[in-house]
């Protein structure tokens, strides 16, 4: 007997629907409404996370401008209904990339952790160079020392 497919909790599903609508429109103005104030952002370029919510919001607003031809392909949910894995593809200049967003929510549907993983290395390097050029002065202040 196979287990039932994982379902997101209603508050999480609502926030995720809002996220997808924002990404589709290219406007993340309402992002703060679905992000917990103490949210953590984990970049594919850094071992240490960035915190609080302002870092996550800055990074996601910037990457949305960097990515071209951004498309989500699949969405998977964890058994507890509080985590989503979003598979995507995009382009940075002439470099194609694929990746996943690992998004953890609280019971109220607020994002508490957003982790990005990207492949191949050439795509990650192009993304890192472009993000670094745009955020080099801003992100270090948010890095969590560990």
């Amino acid at each position: 007997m196979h287990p039932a497919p994982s379902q997101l909790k209603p508050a999480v599903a609502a926030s995720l629907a809002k996220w997808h609508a924002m990404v589709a429109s290219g406007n993340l103005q309402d992002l703060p409404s679905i992000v917990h104030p103490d949210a953590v952002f984990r970049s594919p370029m850094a071992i240490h996370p960035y915190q609080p919510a302002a870092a996550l919001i800055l990074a996601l607003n910037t990457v949305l401008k960097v990515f071209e031809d951004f498309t989500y392909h699949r969405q998977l949910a964890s058994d507890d209904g509080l985590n989503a894995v979003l598979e995507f593809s995009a382009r940075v200049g002439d470099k194609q990339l694929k990746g996943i967003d690992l998004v953890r929510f609280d019971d109220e549907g607020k994002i508490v952790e957003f982790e990005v993983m990207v492949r191949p290395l050439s795509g990650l390097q192009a993304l890192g160079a472009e993000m670094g050029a745009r955020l080099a002065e801003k992100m270090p202040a948010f890095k969590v020392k560990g």
Side-chain angles (χ1 to χ4, degrees), residues 20-68:
H20 284 298
M22 284 186 274
V23 170
S25 73
N27 183 346
L28 301 186
Q29 182 179 336
D30 292 334
L31 184 56
S33 71
I34 61 167
V35 176
H36 189 280
D38 295 325
V40 173
F41 175 70
R42 296 184 185 278
S43 163
M45 300 301 297
I47 189 69
H48 297 293
Y50 297 92
Q51 195 173 20
L56 184 151
I57 292 165
L58 177 62
L60 294 180
N61 269 291
T62 304
V63 81
L64 195 61
K65 294 177 181 101
V66 169
F67 279 156
E68 300 170 69

Side-chain angles (χ1 to χ4, degrees), residues 118-138:
V118 171
R119 59 168 286 278
L121 181 58
S122 60
L124 178 61
Q125 288 169 329
L127 176 61
E130 191 60 38
M131 291 292 286
R134 295 174 187 228
L135 294 177
E137 310 270 316
K138 299 172 184 166

